[in-house]
PDB file of all heavy atoms in Angstrom:
ATOM      1  N   PRO J   1     -75.775  11.551 -59.928  1.00 89.00           N
ATOM      2  CA  PRO J   1     -75.405  12.766 -60.317  1.00 89.00           C
ATOM      3  C   PRO J   1     -73.938  12.882 -60.894  1.00 89.00           C
ATOM      4  O   PRO J   1     -73.549  13.899 -61.428  1.00 89.00           O
ATOM      5  CB  PRO J   1     -75.446  13.598 -58.998  1.00 89.00           C
ATOM      6  CG  PRO J   1     -75.429  12.552 -57.916  1.00 89.00           C
ATOM      7  CD  PRO J   1     -75.970  11.329 -58.623  1.00 89.00           C
ATOM      8  N   ALA J   2     -73.137  11.921 -60.606  1.00 86.00           N
ATOM      9  CA  ALA J   2     -71.717  11.960 -61.033  1.00 86.00           C
ATOM     10  C   ALA J   2     -71.543  11.715 -62.553  1.00 86.00           C
ATOM     11  O   ALA J   2     -70.439  11.879 -63.016  1.00 86.00           O
ATOM     12  CB  ALA J   2     -70.917  10.931 -60.325  1.00 86.00           C
ATOM     13  N   LEU J   3     -72.553  11.381 -63.275  1.00 87.00           N
ATOM     14  CA  LEU J   3     -72.345  10.982 -64.763  1.00 87.00           C
ATOM     15  C   LEU J   3     -73.244  12.043 -65.498  1.00 87.00           C
ATOM     16  O   LEU J   3     -74.304  12.472 -65.077  1.00 87.00           O
ATOM     17  CB  LEU J   3     -72.761   9.665 -65.106  1.00 87.00           C
ATOM     18  CG  LEU J   3     -71.856   8.656 -64.587  1.00 87.00           C
ATOM     19  CD1 LEU J   3     -72.330   7.188 -64.827  1.00 87.00           C
ATOM     20  CD2 LEU J   3     -70.482   8.712 -65.261  1.00 87.00           C
ATOM     21  N   PRO J   4     -72.907  12.300 -66.787  1.00 87.00           N
ATOM     22  CA  PRO J   4     -73.722  13.141 -67.653  1.00 87.00           C
ATOM     23  C   PRO J   4     -75.025  12.572 -68.075  1.00 87.00           C
ATOM     24  O   PRO J   4     -75.056  11.367 -68.290  1.00 87.00           O
ATOM     25  CB  PRO J   4     -72.673  13.529 -68.849  1.00 87.00           C
ATOM     26  CG  PRO J   4     -71.801  12.311 -68.893  1.00 87.00           C
ATOM     27  CD  PRO J   4     -71.652  11.941 -67.457  1.00 87.00           C
ATOM     28  N   THR J   5     -75.945  13.383 -68.346  1.00 88.00           N
ATOM     29  CA  THR J   5     -77.247  12.812 -69.006  1.00 88.00           C
ATOM     30  C   THR J   5     -77.332  13.426 -70.393  1.00 88.00           C
ATOM     31  O   THR J   5     -76.760  14.468 -70.673  1.00 88.00           O
ATOM     32  CB  THR J   5     -78.362  13.245 -68.090  1.00 88.00           C
ATOM     33  OG1 THR J   5     -78.500  14.636 -68.062  1.00 88.00           O
ATOM     34  CG2 THR J   5     -78.425  12.686 -66.648  1.00 88.00           C
ATOM     35  N   GLY J   6     -78.182  12.843 -71.236  1.00 82.00           N
ATOM     36  CA  GLY J   6     -78.432  13.370 -72.523  1.00 82.00           C
ATOM     37  C   GLY J   6     -77.321  13.241 -73.540  1.00 82.00           C
ATOM     38  O   GLY J   6     -77.222  13.999 -74.528  1.00 82.00           O
ATOM     39  N   VAL J   7     -76.348  12.441 -73.229  1.00 82.00           N
ATOM     40  CA  VAL J   7     -75.231  12.194 -74.209  1.00 82.00           C
ATOM     41  C   VAL J   7     -75.204  10.662 -74.592  1.00 82.00           C
ATOM     42  O   VAL J   7     -75.724   9.831 -73.848  1.00 82.00           O
ATOM     43  CB  VAL J   7     -73.960  12.604 -73.603  1.00 82.00           C
ATOM     44  CG1 VAL J   7     -73.834  14.039 -73.369  1.00 82.00           C
ATOM     45  CG2 VAL J   7     -73.599  11.883 -72.406  1.00 82.00           C
ATOM     46  N   THR J   8     -74.474  10.450 -75.580  1.00 77.00           N
ATOM     47  CA  THR J   8     -74.340   8.933 -75.967  1.00 77.00           C
ATOM     48  C   THR J   8     -72.849   8.560 -75.667  1.00 77.00           C
ATOM     49  O   THR J   8     -71.977   9.286 -75.678  1.00 77.00           O
ATOM     50  CB  THR J   8     -74.551   8.779 -77.468  1.00 77.00           C
ATOM     51  OG1 THR J   8     -74.347   7.359 -77.709  1.00 77.00           O
ATOM     52  CG2 THR J   8     -73.654   9.586 -78.412  1.00 77.00           C
ATOM     53  N   GLY J   9     -72.740   7.361 -75.237  1.00 68.00           N
ATOM     54  CA  GLY J   9     -71.426   6.677 -74.856  1.00 68.00           C
ATOM     55  C   GLY J   9     -70.788   6.142 -76.111  1.00 68.00           C
ATOM     56  O   GLY J   9     -69.661   5.652 -76.047  1.00 68.00           O
ATOM     57  N   GLY J  10     -71.527   6.137 -77.202  1.00 75.00           N
ATOM     58  CA  GLY J  10     -71.022   5.425 -78.356  1.00 75.00           C
ATOM     59  C   GLY J  10     -71.148   3.940 -78.211  1.00 75.00           C
ATOM     60  O   GLY J  10     -71.578   3.451 -77.279  1.00 75.00           O
ATOM     61  N   PRO J  11     -70.615   3.157 -79.042  1.00 80.00           N
ATOM     62  CA  PRO J  11     -70.665   1.715 -79.116  1.00 80.00           C
ATOM     63  C   PRO J  11     -69.852   1.060 -78.028  1.00 80.00           C
ATOM     64  O   PRO J  11     -70.170   0.053 -77.643  1.00 80.00           O
ATOM     65  CB  PRO J  11     -70.206   1.276 -80.456  1.00 80.00           C
ATOM     66  CG  PRO J  11     -69.270   2.384 -81.003  1.00 80.00           C
ATOM     67  CD  PRO J  11     -69.953   3.640 -80.473  1.00 80.00           C
ATOM     68  N   ALA J  12     -68.881   1.844 -77.464  1.00 80.00           N
ATOM     69  CA  ALA J  12     -68.082   1.256 -76.473  1.00 80.00           C
ATOM     70  C   ALA J  12     -68.342   2.000 -75.152  1.00 80.00           C
ATOM     71  O   ALA J  12     -67.806   1.535 -74.016  1.00 80.00           O
ATOM     72  CB  ALA J  12     -66.608   1.502 -76.720  1.00 80.00           C
ATOM     73  N   GLY J  13     -69.343   2.803 -75.035  1.00 83.00           N
ATOM     74  CA  GLY J  13     -69.795   3.447 -73.694  1.00 83.00           C
ATOM     75  C   GLY J  13     -70.574   2.530 -72.902  1.00 83.00           C
ATOM     76  O   GLY J  13     -70.908   1.428 -73.281  1.00 83.00           O
ATOM     77  N   TRP J  14     -70.987   3.049 -71.642  1.00 87.00           N
ATOM     78  CA  TRP J  14     -71.844   2.282 -70.720  1.00 87.00           C
ATOM     79  C   TRP J  14     -72.741   3.190 -70.124  1.00 87.00           C
ATOM     80  O   TRP J  14     -72.702   4.374 -70.051  1.00 87.00           O
ATOM     81  CB  TRP J  14     -70.847   1.635 -69.727  1.00 87.00           C
ATOM     82  CG  TRP J  14     -69.886   2.441 -69.126  1.00 87.00           C
ATOM     83  CD1 TRP J  14     -68.622   2.793 -69.658  1.00 87.00           C
ATOM     84  CD2 TRP J  14     -70.013   3.136 -67.878  1.00 87.00           C
ATOM     85  NE1 TRP J  14     -67.912   3.543 -68.757  1.00 87.00           N
ATOM     86  CE2 TRP J  14     -68.692   3.841 -67.638  1.00 87.00           C
ATOM     87  CE3 TRP J  14     -70.998   3.291 -66.976  1.00 87.00           C
ATOM     88  CZ2 TRP J  14     -68.599   4.690 -66.570  1.00 87.00           C
ATOM     89  CZ3 TRP J  14     -70.774   4.002 -65.808  1.00 87.00           C
ATOM     90  CH2 TRP J  14     -69.517   4.708 -65.615  1.00 87.00           C
ATOM     91  N   ASN J  15     -73.935   2.496 -69.586  1.00 88.00           N
ATOM     92  CA  ASN J  15     -74.959   3.254 -68.832  1.00 88.00           C
ATOM     93  C   ASN J  15     -74.998   2.651 -67.478  1.00 88.00           C
ATOM     94  O   ASN J  15     -74.655   1.595 -67.093  1.00 88.00           O
ATOM     95  CB  ASN J  15     -76.334   3.011 -69.588  1.00 88.00           C
ATOM     96  CG  ASN J  15     -76.304   3.424 -70.990  1.00 88.00           C
ATOM     97  OD1 ASN J  15     -75.663   4.517 -71.335  1.00 88.00           O
ATOM     98  ND2 ASN J  15     -77.044   2.754 -71.685  1.00 88.00           N
ATOM     99  N   VAL J  16     -75.489   3.581 -66.468  1.00 90.00           N
ATOM    100  CA  VAL J  16     -75.706   3.148 -65.136  1.00 90.00           C
ATOM    101  C   VAL J  16     -77.028   3.834 -64.740  1.00 90.00           C
ATOM    102  O   VAL J  16     -77.287   4.909 -64.995  1.00 90.00           O
ATOM    103  CB  VAL J  16     -74.495   3.433 -64.319  1.00 90.00           C
ATOM    104  CG1 VAL J  16     -74.295   5.013 -64.137  1.00 90.00           C
ATOM    105  CG2 VAL J  16     -74.607   2.851 -62.896  1.00 90.00           C
ATOM    106  N   CYS J  17     -77.729   3.213 -63.806  1.00 92.00           N
ATOM    107  CA  CYS J  17     -78.972   3.575 -63.314  1.00 92.00           C
ATOM    108  C   CYS J  17     -79.374   2.907 -62.040  1.00 92.00           C
ATOM    109  O   CYS J  17     -79.044   1.633 -61.918  1.00 92.00           O
ATOM    110  CB  CYS J  17     -80.168   3.379 -64.294  1.00 92.00           C
ATOM    111  SG  CYS J  17     -81.645   4.381 -63.957  1.00 92.00           S
ATOM    112  N   MET J  18     -80.020   3.455 -60.914  1.00 93.00           N
ATOM    113  CA  MET J  18     -80.392   2.927 -59.735  1.00 93.00           C
ATOM    114  C   MET J  18     -81.750   2.102 -60.074  1.00 93.00           C
ATOM    115  O   MET J  18     -82.459   2.516 -60.998  1.00 93.00           O
ATOM    116  CB  MET J  18     -80.748   3.973 -58.754  1.00 93.00           C
ATOM    117  CG  MET J  18     -79.475   4.748 -58.259  1.00 93.00           C
ATOM    118  SD  MET J  18     -78.194   3.855 -57.602  1.00 93.00           S
ATOM    119  CE  MET J  18     -78.796   3.662 -55.922  1.00 93.00           C
ATOM    120  N   ILE J  19     -81.860   0.951 -59.420  1.00 92.00           N
ATOM    121  CA  ILE J  19     -83.203   0.286 -59.566  1.00 92.00           C
ATOM    122  C   ILE J  19     -83.785   0.037 -58.237  1.00 92.00           C
ATOM    123  O   ILE J  19     -83.077   0.017 -57.292  1.00 92.00           O
ATOM    124  CB  ILE J  19     -82.955  -1.138 -60.242  1.00 92.00           C
ATOM    125  CG1 ILE J  19     -82.059  -2.073 -59.465  1.00 92.00           C
ATOM    126  CG2 ILE J  19     -82.455  -1.002 -61.723  1.00 92.00           C
ATOM    127  CD1 ILE J  19     -81.975  -3.318 -60.018  1.00 92.00           C
ATOM    128  N   PRO J  20     -85.108  -0.189 -58.146  1.00 93.00           N
ATOM    129  CA  PRO J  20     -85.730  -0.275 -56.894  1.00 93.00           C
ATOM    130  C   PRO J  20     -85.314  -1.568 -56.165  1.00 93.00           C
ATOM    131  O   PRO J  20     -85.100  -2.553 -56.806  1.00 93.00           O
ATOM    132  CB  PRO J  20     -87.212  -0.394 -57.276  1.00 93.00           C
ATOM    133  CG  PRO J  20     -87.300   0.326 -58.552  1.00 93.00           C
ATOM    134  CD  PRO J  20     -86.048   0.005 -59.216  1.00 93.00           C
ATOM    135  N   VAL J  21     -85.201  -1.470 -54.785  1.00 96.00           N
ATOM    136  CA  VAL J  21     -84.711  -2.631 -54.008  1.00 96.00           C
ATOM    137  C   VAL J  21     -85.527  -3.896 -54.318  1.00 96.00           C
ATOM    138  O   VAL J  21     -84.939  -5.030 -54.328  1.00 96.00           O
ATOM    139  CB  VAL J  21     -84.685  -2.249 -52.618  1.00 96.00           C
ATOM    140  CG1 VAL J  21     -85.996  -2.029 -52.020  1.00 96.00           C
ATOM    141  CG2 VAL J  21     -83.890  -3.321 -51.843  1.00 96.00           C
ATOM    142  N   GLY J  22     -86.820  -3.727 -54.532  1.00 97.00           N
ATOM    143  CA  GLY J  22     -87.622  -4.978 -54.728  1.00 97.00           C
ATOM    144  C   GLY J  22     -87.235  -5.612 -56.065  1.00 97.00           C
ATOM    145  O   GLY J  22     -87.285  -7.004 -56.200  1.00 97.00           O
ATOM    146  N   GLN J  23     -87.104  -4.902 -57.117  1.00 96.00           N
ATOM    147  CA  GLN J  23     -86.709  -5.469 -58.350  1.00 96.00           C
ATOM    148  C   GLN J  23     -85.213  -5.995 -58.256  1.00 96.00           C
ATOM    149  O   GLN J  23     -85.062  -7.225 -58.926  1.00 96.00           O
ATOM    150  CB  GLN J  23     -86.637  -4.441 -59.363  1.00 96.00           C
ATOM    151  CG  GLN J  23     -88.112  -3.886 -59.909  1.00 96.00           C
ATOM    152  CD  GLN J  23     -88.073  -2.787 -61.058  1.00 96.00           C
ATOM    153  OE1 GLN J  23     -86.987  -2.541 -61.479  1.00 96.00           O
ATOM    154  NE2 GLN J  23     -89.249  -2.324 -61.355  1.00 96.00           N
ATOM    155  N   ASN J  24     -84.416  -5.401 -57.532  1.00 96.00           N
ATOM    156  CA  ASN J  24     -83.066  -6.003 -57.435  1.00 96.00           C
ATOM    157  C   ASN J  24     -83.101  -7.378 -56.663  1.00 96.00           C
ATOM    158  O   ASN J  24     -82.335  -8.320 -57.064  1.00 96.00           O
ATOM    159  CB  ASN J  24     -82.156  -5.054 -56.681  1.00 96.00           C
ATOM    160  CG  ASN J  24     -80.680  -5.540 -56.685  1.00 96.00           C
ATOM    161  OD1 ASN J  24     -80.233  -5.794 -57.734  1.00 96.00           O
ATOM    162  ND2 ASN J  24     -80.057  -5.456 -55.459  1.00 96.00           N
ATOM    163  N   SER J  25     -83.935  -7.384 -55.602  1.00 97.00           N
ATOM    164  CA  SER J  25     -84.082  -8.707 -54.798  1.00 97.00           C
ATOM    165  C   SER J  25     -84.675  -9.754 -55.712  1.00 97.00           C
ATOM    166  O   SER J  25     -84.223 -10.887 -55.688  1.00 97.00           O
ATOM    167  CB  SER J  25     -84.883  -8.415 -53.585  1.00 97.00           C
ATOM    168  OG  SER J  25     -84.193  -7.582 -52.742  1.00 97.00           O
ATOM    169  N   SER J  26     -85.674  -9.347 -56.505  1.00 97.00           N
ATOM    170  CA  SER J  26     -86.366 -10.396 -57.355  1.00 97.00           C
ATOM    171  C   SER J  26     -85.289 -10.920 -58.365  1.00 97.00           C
ATOM    172  O   SER J  26     -85.350 -12.113 -58.658  1.00 97.00           O
ATOM    173  CB  SER J  26     -87.505  -9.761 -58.085  1.00 97.00           C
ATOM    174  OG  SER J  26     -88.516  -9.422 -57.130  1.00 97.00           O
ATOM    175  N   GLY J  27     -84.593 -10.063 -59.017  1.00 96.00           N
ATOM    176  CA  GLY J  27     -83.642 -10.381 -59.984  1.00 96.00           C
ATOM    177  C   GLY J  27     -82.573 -11.421 -59.322  1.00 96.00           C
ATOM    178  O   GLY J  27     -82.181 -12.338 -59.975  1.00 96.00           O
ATOM    179  N   GLY J  28     -82.109 -11.074 -58.206  1.00 96.00           N
ATOM    180  CA  GLY J  28     -81.114 -11.930 -57.523  1.00 96.00           C
ATOM    181  C   GLY J  28     -81.733 -13.215 -57.180  1.00 96.00           C
ATOM    182  O   GLY J  28     -80.986 -14.235 -57.292  1.00 96.00           O
ATOM    183  N   ALA J  29     -82.988 -13.330 -56.800  1.00 97.00           N
ATOM    184  CA  ALA J  29     -83.618 -14.569 -56.503  1.00 97.00           C
ATOM    185  C   ALA J  29     -83.765 -15.536 -57.686  1.00 97.00           C
ATOM    186  O   ALA J  29     -83.574 -16.615 -57.775  1.00 97.00           O
ATOM    187  CB  ALA J  29     -85.015 -14.399 -55.826  1.00 97.00           C
ATOM    188  N   LEU J  30     -84.019 -14.727 -58.804  1.00 96.00           N
ATOM    189  CA  LEU J  30     -84.238 -15.476 -60.096  1.00 96.00           C
ATOM    190  C   LEU J  30     -82.832 -16.078 -60.592  1.00 96.00           C
ATOM    191  O   LEU J  30     -82.743 -17.172 -61.100  1.00 96.00           O
ATOM    192  CB  LEU J  30     -84.855 -14.589 -61.216  1.00 96.00           C
ATOM    193  CG  LEU J  30     -86.283 -14.320 -61.157  1.00 96.00           C
ATOM    194  CD1 LEU J  30     -86.767 -13.174 -62.006  1.00 96.00           C
ATOM    195  CD2 LEU J  30     -87.115 -15.538 -61.355  1.00 96.00           C
ATOM    196  N   LEU J  31     -81.842 -15.223 -60.405  1.00 93.00           N
ATOM    197  CA  LEU J  31     -80.557 -15.761 -60.834  1.00 93.00           C
ATOM    198  C   LEU J  31     -80.077 -16.834 -59.889  1.00 93.00           C
ATOM    199  O   LEU J  31     -79.549 -17.911 -60.448  1.00 93.00           O
ATOM    200  CB  LEU J  31     -79.516 -14.503 -60.681  1.00 93.00           C
ATOM    201  CG  LEU J  31     -78.016 -14.767 -61.142  1.00 93.00           C
ATOM    202  CD1 LEU J  31     -78.077 -15.258 -62.503  1.00 93.00           C
ATOM    203  CD2 LEU J  31     -77.296 -13.534 -61.033  1.00 93.00           C
ATOM    204  N   ASN J  32     -80.308 -16.808 -58.692  1.00 94.00           N
ATOM    205  CA  ASN J  32     -79.851 -17.835 -57.661  1.00 94.00           C
ATOM    206  C   ASN J  32     -80.704 -19.161 -58.012  1.00 94.00           C
ATOM    207  O   ASN J  32     -80.098 -20.169 -58.059  1.00 94.00           O
ATOM    208  CB  ASN J  32     -80.220 -17.383 -56.213  1.00 94.00           C
ATOM    209  CG  ASN J  32     -79.694 -18.563 -55.342  1.00 94.00           C
ATOM    210  OD1 ASN J  32     -78.607 -18.998 -55.313  1.00 94.00           O
ATOM    211  ND2 ASN J  32     -80.592 -18.938 -54.371  1.00 94.00           N
ATOM    212  N   SER J  33     -81.991 -18.985 -58.472  1.00 96.00           N
ATOM    213  CA  SER J  33     -82.793 -20.198 -58.907  1.00 96.00           C
ATOM    214  C   SER J  33     -82.183 -20.803 -60.144  1.00 96.00           C
ATOM    215  O   SER J  33     -82.027 -22.085 -60.216  1.00 96.00           O
ATOM    216  CB  SER J  33     -84.216 -19.770 -59.051  1.00 96.00           C
ATOM    217  OG  SER J  33     -84.952 -20.833 -59.669  1.00 96.00           O
ATOM    218  N   PHE J  34     -81.672 -20.019 -61.061  1.00 90.00           N
ATOM    219  CA  PHE J  34     -81.015 -20.561 -62.281  1.00 90.00           C
ATOM    220  C   PHE J  34     -79.825 -21.282 -61.903  1.00 90.00           C
ATOM    221  O   PHE J  34     -79.544 -22.384 -62.380  1.00 90.00           O
ATOM    222  CB  PHE J  34     -80.815 -19.409 -63.205  1.00 90.00           C
ATOM    223  CG  PHE J  34     -79.670 -19.718 -64.333  1.00 90.00           C
ATOM    224  CD1 PHE J  34     -80.132 -20.409 -65.372  1.00 90.00           C
ATOM    225  CD2 PHE J  34     -78.411 -19.338 -64.224  1.00 90.00           C
ATOM    226  CE1 PHE J  34     -79.209 -20.955 -66.419  1.00 90.00           C
ATOM    227  CE2 PHE J  34     -77.471 -19.665 -65.307  1.00 90.00           C
ATOM    228  CZ  PHE J  34     -77.913 -20.442 -66.212  1.00 90.00           C
ATOM    229  N   TYR J  35     -78.973 -20.706 -60.991  1.00 91.00           N
ATOM    230  CA  TYR J  35     -77.789 -21.287 -60.624  1.00 91.00           C
ATOM    231  C   TYR J  35     -77.957 -22.737 -59.934  1.00 91.00           C
ATOM    232  O   TYR J  35     -77.320 -23.704 -60.230  1.00 91.00           O
ATOM    233  CB  TYR J  35     -77.007 -20.459 -59.720  1.00 91.00           C
ATOM    234  CG  TYR J  35     -76.283 -19.189 -60.254  1.00 91.00           C
ATOM    235  CD1 TYR J  35     -76.031 -18.238 -59.420  1.00 91.00           C
ATOM    236  CD2 TYR J  35     -75.908 -19.221 -61.639  1.00 91.00           C
ATOM    237  CE1 TYR J  35     -75.488 -17.008 -59.942  1.00 91.00           C
ATOM    238  CE2 TYR J  35     -75.355 -17.984 -62.160  1.00 91.00           C
ATOM    239  CZ  TYR J  35     -75.100 -17.002 -61.334  1.00 91.00           C
ATOM    240  OH  TYR J  35     -74.505 -15.874 -61.903  1.00 91.00           O
ATOM    241  N   GLN J  36     -78.993 -22.700 -59.104  1.00 94.00           N
ATOM    242  CA  GLN J  36     -79.334 -23.980 -58.433  1.00 94.00           C
ATOM    243  C   GLN J  36     -79.863 -25.061 -59.371  1.00 94.00           C
ATOM    244  O   GLN J  36     -79.346 -26.180 -59.314  1.00 94.00           O
ATOM    245  CB  GLN J  36     -80.335 -23.726 -57.310  1.00 94.00           C
ATOM    246  CG  GLN J  36     -79.654 -23.028 -56.130  1.00 94.00           C
ATOM    247  CD  GLN J  36     -80.678 -22.815 -55.012  1.00 94.00           C
ATOM    248  OE1 GLN J  36     -81.869 -23.017 -55.139  1.00 94.00           O
ATOM    249  NE2 GLN J  36     -80.121 -22.327 -53.809  1.00 94.00           N
ATOM    250  N   LYS J  37     -80.779 -24.711 -60.168  1.00 94.00           N
ATOM    251  CA  LYS J  37     -81.403 -25.516 -61.197  1.00 94.00           C
ATOM    252  C   LYS J  37     -80.466 -26.098 -62.183  1.00 94.00           C
ATOM    253  O   LYS J  37     -80.447 -27.171 -62.631  1.00 94.00           O
ATOM    254  CB  LYS J  37     -82.622 -24.956 -61.953  1.00 94.00           C
ATOM    255  CG  LYS J  37     -83.780 -24.791 -60.970  1.00 94.00           C
ATOM    256  CD  LYS J  37     -84.925 -24.123 -61.718  1.00 94.00           C
ATOM    257  CE  LYS J  37     -86.161 -24.021 -60.884  1.00 94.00           C
ATOM    258  NZ  LYS J  37     -87.212 -23.203 -61.487  1.00 94.00           N
TER     259      LYS J  37
END
């Protein structure tokens, strides 16, 4: 809620969004696997 919706940040702007905990955990596990391999 702290950021506006429906606007563009332009080429230098940034986006933020919450993701489900399961997807975050899976992504972290894949990244860790990459680091190890």
Side-chain angles (χ1 to χ4, degrees):
L3 290 174
T5 60
V7 298
T8 180
W14 49 275
N15 301 327
V16 65
C17 195
M18 300 295 280
I19 61 171
V21 67
Q23 288 181 4
N24 190 45
S25 295
S26 295
L30 288 169
L31 184 58
N32 186 52
S33 176
F34 164 77
Y35 288 154
Q36 288 180 350
K37 288 178 182 177

